[in-house]
Amino acid sequence: MKRLIPIIAVIAVIWALCYTVIILFLLGESLLVTLSSKPLPQSTVQVQGTTLSIPAENFESTLKQHTKYNEFSAIDMPISPVNVPAGSTLLLTFDQTPKEFTFIEQANKFNRWFRLDHSHHTIAAPDTPGIYTYLYSASWFEGSVSYVIKIKVQ
């Protein structure tokens, strides 16, 4: 009888561990299904002082499936540039509040990217007429999304 009690205790612990692993597996799978069915966060850029809103195009995401492009392909995205006043302030907004705003980059005329200050979630449109491409990114608990906009300063 004394030998039987430790054996029963070991069997009970093993059963409890197996049960816990099965429950965790089922909960984890349920969480993954929930996350994968959640729509990607969308972003728009509001030109301050106007009613002009620029829809941003999704460029790259690690939320649903990991896609990775190089920055140069952002320049070639077939997006029509939106006319904005020279020197205007562009406010980046999201339909889901991000955990962190990661970066803003601007392509120059030589197709090189340089980082802009992203602490205020704004872009200062240049004063010089031309077409400008911007790439920016934000992250959420589930992953990150990058967006592209093109503006035309007249």
Side-chain angles (χ1 to χ4, degrees):
M1 181 72 167
K2 287 184 178 184
R3 291 184 101 188
L4 190 56
I5 292 174
I7 291 173
I8 292 173
V10 168
I11 291 172
V13 168
I14 291 172
W15 181 84
L17 287 173
C18 290
Y19 183 75
T20 302
V21 167
I22 290 169
I23 294 298
L24 288 175
F25 177 76
L26 292 175
L27 285 175
E29 219 173 85
S30 171
L31 180 62
L32 286 175
V33 168
T34 301
L35 291 177
S36 66
S37 64
K38 185 177 179 181
L40 283 176
Q42 299 300 306
S43 179
T44 55
V45 178
Q46 183 69 39
V47 180
Q48 285 187 339
T50 72
T51 57
L52 181 59
S53 184
I54 305 167
E57 295 291 327
N58 288 347
F59 175 66
E60 167 180 63
S61 169
T62 61
L63 289 175
K64 291 186 181 251
Q65 62 187 38
H66 183 69
T67 56
K68 180 67 178 167
Y69 305 101
N70 67 38
E71 295 170 323
F72 299 107
S73 60
I75 295 169
D76 297 329
M77 284 186 70
I79 302 170
S80 297
V82 176
N83 293 330
V84 301
S88 58
T89 299
L90 311 176
L91 177 62
L92 310 175
T93 62
F94 303 92
D95 66 348
Q96 300 173 31
T97 304
K99 177 181 76 170
E100 177 185 19
F101 195 84
T102 316
F103 66 83
I104 302 172
E105 294 182 340
Q106 179 187 8
N108 66 16
K109 63 183 176 181
F110 303 109
N111 292 338
R112 295 208 175 130
W113 292 89
F114 60 95
R115 294 263 166 141
L116 303 175
D117 175 23
H118 64 276
S119 60
H120 296 97
H121 304 185
T122 60
I123 297 170
D127 292 323
T128 307
I131 295 176
Y132 299 88
T133 302
Y134 294 91
L135 175 64
Y136 62 96
S137 180
S139 63
W140 288 261
F141 171 74
E142 302 90 349
S144 64
V145 181
S146 295
Y147 306 89
V148 174
I149 62 164
K150 289 186 181 187
I151 63 170
K152 182 176 184 179
V153 175
Q154 298 181 351

